[in-house]
Amino acid sequence: MKTAPTHRPPFARTIVTQIYNFSAGPAVLPKEVLQEAAADMLDWHGSGMSVMEMSHRGPEFISIYEAAVRDLRQLLDVPSNYKILFLQGGGLGENAIVPMNLVGRVSPSGQPATIDFVHTGSWSGKSVKEAARYATVNVAASSEGTRFTTVPPQSGWKLTPGAAYLHLCTNETIDGVEYNFVPELADGTPIVADMSSHILSRTIDVSKYGVIFAGAQKNIGPAGLTLVIVREDLLGHALPICPSAFDWSTVAAHDSMYNTPPTYGIYIAGLVFAHLLRQGGVAAAERRNIAKAELLYAALDADDFYQNRVAQDCRSRMNVPFYLRDETLNDTFLAGAKARGLLQLKGHKSVGGMRASIYNAMPIEGVQALVDYLNEFAGRT
Amino acid sequence: MKTAPTHRPPFARTIVTQIYNFSAGPAVLPKEVLQEAAADMLDWHGSGMSVMEMSHRGPEFISIYEAAVRDLRQLLDVPSNYKILFLQGGGLGENAIVPMNLVGRVSPSGQPATIDFVHTGSWSGKSVKEAARYATVNVAASSEGTRFTTVPPQSGWKLTPGAAYLHLCTNETIDGVEYNFVPELADGTPIVADMSSHILSRTIDVSKYGVIFAGAQKNIGPAGLTLVIVREDLLGHALPICPSAFDWSTVAAHDSMYNTPPTYGIYIAGLVFAHLLRQGGVAAAERRNIAKAELLYAALDADDFYQNRVAQDCRSRMNVPFYLRDETLNDTFLAGAKARGLLQLKGHKSVGGMRASIYNAMPIEGVQALVDYLNEFAGRT
């Protein structure tokens, strides 16, 4: 690794002609989706209503809902024995809703069930705390000792025989760590994956999971919508304390309309799904995401001016945390970025530094603009 | 009461120039709000971002949130010892979240708490079922015997000494029954009011309640946002099984940002609040709502062609269910209404008939258009 030249502020100001938003979520959406939403706002398809004004039980909204489910099923090739549910509560809510729905499956007589976790960062840590309200929790493996820079290899996981399920956060939004494998569990324990911050960014084999869930506000749509994909045989075991609005069986039996769903969020998600299909689906998105991530990590790795601390094979393609070698320059870096239209690059308060989230809707031109700025700020020629 | 003339179809077709949407929820929003949302969609106030794309922790969204809370506090004259919270889960979710937050206050040592309910229709019935997961439930009074056409007078309520709280649904959306009084409880038992379908439609004295909650999708904004107004001394008693995303104390301590809130819903709600202030606030809205309700009920009461079964002093100003004397005409009535741009008048499937929801955003011109149609369809001259 080369040593970077010393930073030489001030750097040239440019006129901002294009905004790129690197927020970790709520995050950038495809411009075409926002244009369509704006055009539809007062009158969806000649209905005389905004989508926000439609009864969730009317034919107009039902058609929106059905198209969204159909397109998502196609995008992720969801097998027919999996239900697609739209709920409320976000990723944090789901971290409690998952155990309320699943621990009853293995402890019908009331003895405490055990849930296994792999602790790879902030979000899997939160899931352990939430689940401890409903079951015995076992951290089968943790990368906390290396400050969450790796995914512990499966060979070292201390799994519990007969566990209710194994919980993974397959992309850690704050720590920038992403799984590059799907564990194989010999005893058939279901795998529950929190894919909030990388769903739809890469092809997955849904059949390897019992449950996949995701808050919408990264690659799907607006905050307030939560997606759950659940294998049908796992339904029907909710604890008595599970609110009916969050009982997956009840929600599934009513096509996500047992109570009023977040209709506008489902509508925007549907626009995102249709847009993604027009762009070639998830496989094409994955190719774009690999190119974007390679471009950005190469700029961070070019010398020691910047640092990403995650092991090479566990680096997230979606969330790229990095640190300036000289952290006294942080504010200057962020101000210069903002002046160039490169927004929301400040790292999460729990880890500091910087973070560039480069979700599906971030074009490679945005990553290139960031890379240009990284190079300029580092004084590279 | 006069006897109506026999109905004489077919009636004249008119060209639809104006849509009026009588949906019970999600429901009509002020046109000015939708216009502003459409204009902001790709670039909120020069930020270069849609509101949907903003980090909930950034200065842009924080300013949107703070304005919404400030305006709502002004609209309802919320005392300073009450917190205003934005959550997810809707009215049904809150029916479970309320007991999870409140029953621990009176049963710290684990003996079951009792919750009192007044059962005045479909929604208070649902609240009893949800609360039974967490406490002993006592139906202190019920109007089920008269098919939910009244609010039982307080003198007959069988309240429980030391109850955790008394739960009321102060406007029953399906049954069209609205409270015209606030009970006075001598022993200081907190009153919890589900105001989902009439909040902001009339002036209220918040200090008479311990908790007020409401799903947004009637008078506030889009589905997926839930409003909770809670007296501060009632915080801090959540059961261990309460998910942290729904623990009011946690949510309050983080200004509704412990997890990602439904940001776009909060934004739309803020536009609705600001619009309502410009229209003269809640007192002015109440005057408009009284005029609208009087106009509609007078047309229903003119003869026996239509029937509203709710006792005069308990009739809702927001949700007006009614039946045709000859129910074989229901489909003809609905088709004729739709042809005139009068949408979503079909009654809830559980009670049948018709229902006109005339929330804040329904102009009196819409009610007049419905009245004109009611008269025409009834063959009144």
Side-chain angles (χ1 to χ4, degrees):
Chain A
M1 183 178 282
K2 295 189 296 179
T3 299
T6 305
H7 174 249
R8 295 162 298 187
F11 37 81
R13 285 251 169 181
T14 53
I15 304 295
V16 176
T17 55
Q18 174 66 52
I19 295 288
Y20 293 110
N21 172 6
F22 295 92
S23 172
V28 61
L29 288 165
K31 192 171 182 181
E32 297 84 344
V33 165
L34 296 173
Q35 287 168 332
E36 196 170 345
D40 283 352
M41 182 61 83
L42 278 92
D43 181 9
W44 180 84
H45 295 196
S47 66
M49 297 181 280
S50 174
V51 174
M52 278 186 235
E53 300 177 305
M54 291 176 185
S55 168
H56 53 300
R57 305 197 193 281
E60 297 87 357
F61 183 73
I62 296 285
S63 75
I64 290 170
Y65 158 82
E66 288 178 345
V69 170
R70 183 182 64 237
D71 287 352
L72 180 62
R73 197 172 283 277
Q74 181 180 344
L75 280 167
L76 290 177
D77 198 13
V78 179
S80 59
N81 64 324
Y82 284 72
K83 293 283 190 188
I84 292 174
L85 310 180
F86 294 123
L87 291 102
Q88 300 182 46
L92 188 67
E94 207 55 40
N95 272 313
I97 293 165
V98 168
M100 282 198 269
N101 275 279
L102 290 187
V103 300
R105 199 177 59 87
V106 297
S107 61
S109 60
Q111 75 273 31
T114 296
I115 308 168
D116 284 339
F117 292 83
V118 179
H119 187 194
T120 49
S122 174
W123 272 97
S124 48
K126 286 186 188 182
S127 69
V128 175
K129 283 186 194 154
E130 289 293 321
R133 305 176 187 281
Y134 316 100
T136 301
V137 292
N138 170 51
V139 177
S142 173
S143 57
E144 192 167 14
T146 58
R147 290 170 58 186
F148 303 124
T149 52
T150 59
V151 173
Q154 191 189 341
S155 57
W157 297 1
K158 304 266 188 296
L159 298 171
T160 308
Y165 59 91
L166 167 66
H167 181 114
L168 310 175
C169 177
T170 47
N171 186 71
E172 291 276 3
T173 322
I174 291 176
D175 308 276
V177 173
E178 185 169 9
Y179 279 67
N180 60 13
F181 66 96
V182 185
E184 298 280 350
L185 304 187
D187 67 352
T189 299
I191 299 173
V192 173
D194 175 358
M195 296 194 181
S196 293
S197 52
H198 75 155
I199 195 162
L200 294 169
S201 75
R202 58 191 301 158
T203 57
I204 55 170
D205 182 350
V206 172
S207 73
K208 303 262 188 189
Y209 302 90
V211 178
I212 292 168
F213 72 88
Q217 65 268 24
K218 286 89 158 72
N219 273 334
I220 296 176
L225 173 67
T226 315
L227 169 68
V228 173
I229 302 172
V230 53
R231 211 174 63 211
E232 286 174 347
D233 64 284
L234 299 175
L235 296 172
H237 305 285
L239 297 177
I241 54 153
C242 181
S244 57
F246 303 124
D247 178 335
W248 293 339
S249 309
T250 303
V251 175
H254 293 82
D255 291 329
S256 299
M257 312 261 179
Y258 183 68
N259 63 335
T260 313
T263 50
Y264 199 74
I266 293 171
Y267 157 72
I268 296 289
L271 296 183
V272 170
F273 299 156
H275 177 261
L276 198 49
L277 281 171
R278 289 195 301 273
Q279 303 290 310
V282 173
E286 181 168 17
R287 287 192 293 275
R288 292 192 294 272
N289 289 326
I290 289 171
K292 285 152 54 184
E294 286 180 348
L295 179 62
L296 180 51
Y297 283 111
L300 295 172
D301 291 344
D303 56 42
D304 65 355
F305 193 90
Y306 305 104
Q307 185 185 31
N308 170 282
R309 297 170 182 166
V310 179
Q312 293 270 352
D313 64 343
C314 305
R315 283 174 163 186
S316 171
R317 294 174 187 161
M318 295 285 105
N319 308 101
V320 184
F322 61 94
Y323 298 86
L324 274 62
R325 181 186 57 195
D326 178 359
E327 293 216 84
T328 66
L329 296 175
N330 281 0
D331 290 345
T332 312
F333 177 88
L334 287 168
K338 189 169 182 184
R340 277 156 185 75
L342 308 172
L343 305 186
Q344 310 209 64
L345 282 163
K346 191 171 182 179
H348 191 271
K349 60 186 176 180
S350 64
V351 293
M354 308 295 156
R355 176 174 49 172
S357 293
I358 50 175
Y359 296 119
N360 279 354
M362 173 61 66
I364 196 158
E365 292 79 9
V367 178
Q368 185 61 56
L370 173 59
V371 165
D372 290 347
Y373 176 60
L374 289 169
N375 288 334
E376 179 189 345
F377 191 85
R380 297 171 187 158
T381 50
Chain B
M1 184 176 280
K2 293 190 297 178
T3 300
T6 306
H7 174 249
R8 294 163 299 190
F11 36 83
R13 287 251 168 182
T14 52
I15 304 295
V16 176
T17 55
Q18 174 66 54
I19 296 286
Y20 293 110
N21 173 5
F22 295 92
S23 172
V28 61
L29 288 165
K31 192 171 182 180
E32 297 85 343
V33 165
L34 295 173
Q35 287 168 333
E36 197 170 345
D40 283 352
M41 182 60 84
L42 278 92
D43 181 9
W44 180 84
H45 296 195
S47 66
M49 296 182 279
S50 175
V51 174
M52 279 186 234
E53 299 177 305
M54 292 176 185
S55 168
H56 54 300
R57 304 195 193 283
E60 297 88 354
F61 183 73
I62 296 286
S63 76
I64 290 170
Y65 159 82
E66 288 178 345
V69 170
R70 183 181 64 238
D71 287 351
L72 180 62
R73 196 173 283 279
Q74 182 181 341
L75 281 167
L76 290 178
D77 197 15
V78 179
S80 60
N81 63 324
Y82 284 73
K83 293 284 190 188
I84 292 173
L85 311 180
F86 295 123
L87 290 103
Q88 301 181 46
L92 188 68
E94 206 57 39
N95 272 311
I97 294 165
V98 168
M100 283 198 269
N101 275 278
L102 290 187
V103 300
R105 197 176 61 88
V106 296
S107 61
S109 61
Q111 75 275 31
T114 296
I115 309 169
D116 285 338
F117 292 84
V118 179
H119 187 194
T120 49
S122 173
W123 274 96
S124 48
K126 286 187 189 182
S127 69
V128 174
K129 283 186 194 154
E130 289 294 320
R133 305 176 187 282
Y134 314 102
T136 302
V137 293
N138 169 51
V139 177
S142 173
S143 57
E144 192 167 16
T146 58
R147 290 170 60 184
F148 303 124
T149 53
T150 60
V151 173
Q154 192 190 341
S155 57
W157 297 1
K158 304 266 189 295
L159 297 171
T160 308
Y165 60 91
L166 168 66
H167 179 113
L168 312 175
C169 177
T170 47
N171 186 72
E172 291 276 3
T173 322
I174 291 175
D175 308 277
V177 173
E178 185 169 8
Y179 278 68
N180 60 13
F181 67 96
V182 184
E184 298 281 350
L185 304 186
D187 67 351
T189 300
I191 299 173
V192 173
D194 175 357
M195 295 194 182
S196 293
S197 53
H198 75 155
I199 195 162
L200 294 170
S201 75
R202 59 192 300 158
T203 58
I204 55 171
D205 181 350
V206 172
S207 73
K208 302 261 189 190
Y209 302 90
V211 178
I212 292 168
F213 72 88
Q217 65 268 24
K218 286 91 157 71
N219 273 333
I220 296 175
L225 172 67
T226 314
L227 169 69
V228 173
I229 302 172
V230 54
R231 212 174 62 212
E232 286 174 348
D233 64 285
L234 299 176
L235 296 173
H237 304 285
L239 297 177
I241 55 154
C242 181
S244 58
F246 303 124
D247 179 335
W248 294 339
S249 310
T250 302
V251 175
H254 293 81
D255 292 328
S256 300
M257 311 260 180
Y258 183 68
N259 62 334
T260 313
T263 50
Y264 199 74
I266 293 171
Y267 157 71
I268 296 289
L271 296 184
V272 170
F273 299 155
H275 177 261
L276 198 50
L277 282 171
R278 288 195 301 272
Q279 303 290 310
V282 174
E286 181 169 17
R287 288 192 291 275
R288 293 191 295 272
N289 289 326
I290 290 172
K292 285 152 53 184
E294 286 181 348
L295 180 62
L296 180 51
Y297 282 111
L300 295 173
D301 291 344
D303 55 42
D304 66 353
F305 194 92
Y306 305 104
Q307 184 185 33
N308 170 281
R309 298 171 181 165
V310 179
Q312 293 271 353
D313 64 342
C314 305
R315 284 174 161 184
S316 170
R317 294 175 188 159
M318 295 285 104
N319 308 101
V320 184
F322 62 93
Y323 297 86
L324 274 62
R325 181 186 57 194
D326 178 0
E327 294 216 84
T328 65
L329 297 175
N330 281 0
D331 289 346
T332 312
F333 177 88
L334 288 167
K338 189 167 182 185
R340 278 155 185 75
L342 307 172
L343 305 185
Q344 310 208 64
L345 283 164
K346 192 173 182 178
H348 191 271
K349 60 185 175 180
S350 64
V351 294
M354 308 295 154
R355 176 174 49 172
S357 294
I358 51 175
Y359 296 119
N360 279 354
M362 173 60 65
I364 195 158
E365 291 78 9
V367 179
Q368 185 62 57
L370 174 58
V371 165
D372 291 345
Y373 176 60
L374 289 169
N375 288 334
E376 179 190 345
F377 191 83
R380 296 172 187 156
T381 50

